[in-house]
Every structure is written in C-alpha cells, then in structure tokens.
Amino acid sequence: MSKMVVIHISQDFTYGKPQLGGYGRILNTLDSTQRHIIYTISNRDKLERKNFSVGSGFEVRQMPAFMSTGSFRERLICIRNVGDLIAEDIRSLGLKPNVFFGHSQLVNFYILSRVKRQLASETPLIWEFNAIWGGINVNSLKNRLVIKIMRYFERKIVKSADALIFQTTAAEEWIQKLYGRANGKKLIITNAVPESALNSNASVAKPSTPPKVLVNGLFDSMNGLGVLVEYLKKHPKPPVELHFYGSGPWGEELKSLANGKEVVYHGPVPRNVMQEEYLKFDFHLIPRLKRVEADLFIPSKLLEAMAKGLVPIVSTVRGMTDVVEPEDGYIIEAGKAVAMAEVFEEIVGLSQGAWMIRSERCRTKVRNLYIWGENHKKLANLYAELS
C-alpha cells in the first residue's frame, strides 16, 4: 500500500531558525506511515531554495519567498506568490497530495487554499490551532482593530476547513464560543512527546547542590520572562542556579543579568541538543502569565522536561495546571515574582527522596498520558476519513 502524501506548511522550519515548541509539536505529528512534506518560508526576506530533512527523514522544502509584515495588500500579494510557488513545486515533483495540513499562522491556511485553487484540487485541508489569534486581549484602539481583522479570518478558517485540530478540550470550547459551530470534522490531539523522549534511568545524584533550574524556549513576556527579570534584579545571586536556553525579546536583558555562576545564559540550541541538555537539570521553570494562549495550550517543553524526570515549577494557567498537580511539582501564582522566590527557597532544602518521588511521578504521568503513539493513530484515521 502506497503512502499518503501529506503537505504541511509552517514557518517554524526555516533553515537555521531556533527550534522552539511549535517546531517540536509539528515534528511530533509526523509519522513514518505517510509521506510528509513541510513547506516553509520567511517573514523577513526572500530565502534561498533549500531542501533538507528533519526528524526521521521528513522532507522540508524551503521556498525562495517571504511573508510581509506590512500592509494588508502586501500580505495578500505574498499569500498569492507563496501559494503559486508551492503549487508549481508540487507539480514539478509530480505529486498528488492526499491531505493539506496547516499550522498556527493564519496566513498558512490561506496559502494552502491558494495552492488548492492553483492545482484545481479537491484535496481536504486540515487546520491545527497551535494558537488562537483572535482570542488575544489588547488595549489600544489600533490593536483592537487588528484583532477584529484576525477574528474575521479565523472565523473563515473555522467555517471552511475540512477538519480542525485542537490541543485541549478548553481550546475547542473556546473556538466554538468565539465563532460558533465548525462545519468540518473536529479532533483533539493533546500535546505529547515521542516514546524516545522518556528517560528510563532513575537518577540517584539529584537534586544538585544548589538545585539547577532550567528555563528554555521563547523569552517573551507571555512566558513570564519579565517576571524573571524582575526577580533577578532584586536577587542577582539567587539560592538556585538558573540556566537559560533560548532567545526572544527578553534575551539581551537576561544576558546582561547573567553572572556565569548563579545565572547562566546559554542562548538558543538545536532541538536535538536540548533533549540531552534536559538531563543536566533538576527543575524546570515556566512562569507563564494568565493569557488565553497560555490557558488553552500545553507547552511541548513542559512534557519534554517531565519525560526526562525534571520536577516542574509552573504558574497558575490551565495549559500547565491541567498537566501538573501539586504532588508532581510546584505551582506558583502567575505574575508574582515573590511566589517564585518562595519556591526557590523551598527547593534548596528538598531531600533526595522527596525529589525522586516527584521526578518519578512526572515520568510516569507522561508515559501513561502524553505519548504520541495514540495521537498518530487518531491522525491516521482522520487522513483516511478525509481522503
């Protein structure tokens, strides 16, 4: 039986771009029983055409194009140009796609819609909500207008996609409340990790003295990096070691606060390297703020760290407290640097036995509830139903 051809588009796979949570989430959706091709572009300037593989040999085709962040008219022109480029490339490969699969950025849906028109194709189009752009709360009049436009186009996706994929029941409920009933199929594919991500060796040398705390991913305000900076300005020599792997708007300030001992800034690393780096740490900190995108999505890095046996320290947002119970780790009030400080003082005195109990609970929870095997079966069934 020949493999189905599944065409994806995601801007997380641009060659050399930091491989953050969205990259890992999408890579984990791919299974070797189908042929997956991921198209990618840039939002800065035209890229060179490049073909390479990721994960277990999955194909990435980088198009010499970019998506403008300028005027609405410029973005429409880019959607048309990128769609035409991808359609031309699919023709040149002699492919007949069985499924189109779009992720996260709203423009990706409309690029794939353009591809379908150019190929005169009836191929079904799946949309995965890795974010809910129309649900973001903003204050300024200009930004409220932008959100209104996003809601218009997001509603069109909900009504016209052949299938919608959500990470949580809460995300599905939110979309229905915001936009009404979807016309296509709906499927919840909870974030998860591949079985190979599990650390099967119990550590007897942890926690370290002082405890080593990992912070990784995108260093933006939603992920609570502003709260961490506030904490470090008051406590330049914390009682724990804080290690930062990643990049983002708060990166330069974090780098200036790093002293190479209690606070260490490592910068971004490839995803495969990060999987090994997890093993060096005792605790994993995600101090996210209370926002829609934090409530409705489970961070890939949280599950990756728990799979490795790190004890989580998370804030009071649903995307994490739906996974982490008080017996697993530590839950702090979102946006409160003082709550984070209290936990740091507490874990300094945590015994090896108490740490081991929490660590094993985390690994067991991921093993039982958050492995990709069942998700792949659900996706394979969806492909078959739609084709």
Side-chain angles (χ1 to χ4, degrees):
M1 183 178 176
S2 61
K3 292 184 176 183
M4 285 187 174
V5 176
V6 184
I7 302 292
H8 301 254
I9 183 166
S10 168
Q11 295 170 36
D12 290 311
F13 285 79
T14 302
Y15 192 82
K17 184 177 180 179
Q19 297 169 350
L20 302 174
Y23 176 98
R25 162 76 180 177
I26 295 166
L27 191 61
N28 286 340
T29 68
L30 314 184
D31 65 285
S32 57
T33 60
Q34 322 297 344
R35 182 182 178 185
H36 295 272
I37 300 174
I38 307 168
Y39 281 95
T40 192
I41 56 173
S42 173
N43 63 357
R44 295 184 303 277
D45 201 352
K46 287 186 178 180
L47 300 169
E48 62 176 315
R49 187 184 291 267
K50 187 184 290 285
N51 304 326
F52 54 96
S53 63
V54 294
S56 302
F58 299 114
E59 305 166 61
V60 178
R61 299 184 69 82
Q62 179 172 286
M63 294 289 98
F66 75 105
M67 178 53 58
S68 172
T69 56
S71 70
F72 182 64
R73 181 175 180 276
E74 289 172 342
R75 296 187 192 203
L76 288 178
I77 291 171
C78 286
I79 288 172
R80 181 194 66 194
N81 292 343
V82 174
D84 291 353
L85 267 176
I86 293 175
E88 179 186 339
D89 193 66
I90 290 172
R91 283 196 204 97
S92 73
L93 295 172
L95 294 175
K96 292 186 177 180
N98 297 96
V99 176
F100 289 112
F101 201 154
H103 307 270
S104 193
Q105 301 288 341
L106 299 186
V107 294
N108 292 339
F109 180 89
Y110 294 98
I111 289 170
L112 288 179
S113 295
R114 173 75 181 186
V115 172
K116 284 185 60 172
R117 289 196 298 274
Q118 291 301 95
L119 296 177
S121 171
E122 296 298 321
T123 301
L125 200 168
I126 298 172
W127 180 252
E128 181 181 23
F129 277 102
N130 286 343
I132 296 180
W133 299 97
I136 299 172
N137 294 318
V138 294
N139 295 320
S140 73
L141 182 62
K142 179 182 177 181
N143 287 338
R144 284 203 296 269
L145 179 60
V146 170
I147 295 301
K148 191 172 183 179
I149 293 170
M150 283 186 173
R151 286 189 177 184
Y152 171 79
F153 287 104
E154 202 162 61
R155 181 179 285 106
K156 288 191 71 174
I157 291 173
V158 170
K159 299 301 182 183
S160 58
D162 295 287
L164 298 176
I165 291 176
F166 308 94
Q167 284 188 35
T168 64
T169 302
E172 180 184 7
E173 291 171 351
W174 179 269
I175 283 293
Q176 184 164 329
K177 181 179 178 182
L178 202 60
Y179 301 125
R181 186 176 296 276
N183 292 329
K185 295 180 180 295
K186 296 184 292 182
L187 186 63
I188 294 174
I189 298 289
T190 303
N191 211 340
V193 296
E195 194 163 357
S196 59
L198 282 167
N199 174 20
S200 58
N201 297 316
S203 172
V204 294
K206 293 187 176 185
S208 310
T209 305
K212 293 184 177 181
V213 180
L214 169 66
V215 183
N216 66 318
L218 180 61
F219 296 156
D220 65 354
S221 294
M222 191 271 285
N223 275 312
L225 273 297
V227 180
L228 259 167
V229 165
E230 176 192 342
Y231 168 82
L232 288 174
K233 286 181 176 178
K234 293 180 180 177
H235 307 277
K237 292 187 176 184
V240 300
E241 284 186 21
L242 284 166
H243 291 256
F244 294 89
Y245 287 78
S247 61
W250 287 97
E252 288 303 313
E253 191 149 11
L254 286 169
K255 195 184 298 185
S256 70
L257 291 167
N259 57 27
K261 189 177 179 182
E262 293 91 356
V263 183
V264 185
Y265 186 89
H266 300 269
V269 297
R271 185 170 179 271
N272 62 326
V273 173
M274 192 68 246
Q275 299 305 304
E276 295 300 319
E277 292 297 297
Y278 279 119
L279 296 171
K280 297 178 180 179
F281 299 98
D282 313 306
F283 298 88
H284 186 236
L285 173 63
I286 313 180
R288 282 190 169 179
L289 302 184
K290 275 189 173 295
R291 295 184 183 174
V292 170
E293 56 269 45
D295 267 340
L296 304 183
F297 303 98
I298 300 170
S300 296
K301 59 189 177 184
L302 171 64
L303 299 177
E304 289 170 354
M306 290 175 67
K308 295 292 194 263
L310 277 68
V311 174
I313 305 169
V314 301
S315 55
T316 49
V317 296
R318 280 192 61 184
M320 292 182 290
T321 57
D322 281 356
V323 176
V324 180
E325 297 172 278
E327 296 82 5
D328 304 325
Y330 298 85
I331 301 172
I332 59 178
E333 188 175 352
K336 299 293 184 181
V338 65
M340 188 165 26
E342 289 170 357
V343 166
F344 289 165
E345 293 292 342
E346 183 177 348
I347 65 176
V348 167
L350 190 67
S351 70
Q352 183 182 85
W355 182 90
M356 289 286 290
I357 290 171
R358 290 176 183 263
S359 174
E360 184 56 33
R361 278 184 60 91
C362 290
R363 290 189 297 164
T364 300
K365 177 170 283 189
V366 172
R367 184 185 299 111
N368 292 341
L369 300 176
Y370 298 105
I371 296 296
W372 260 98
E374 289 303 312
N375 286 349
H376 284 150
K377 291 177 185 176
K378 291 179 184 177
L379 281 171
N381 290 338
L382 179 62
Y383 299 155
E385 287 177 28
L386 293 173
S387 296

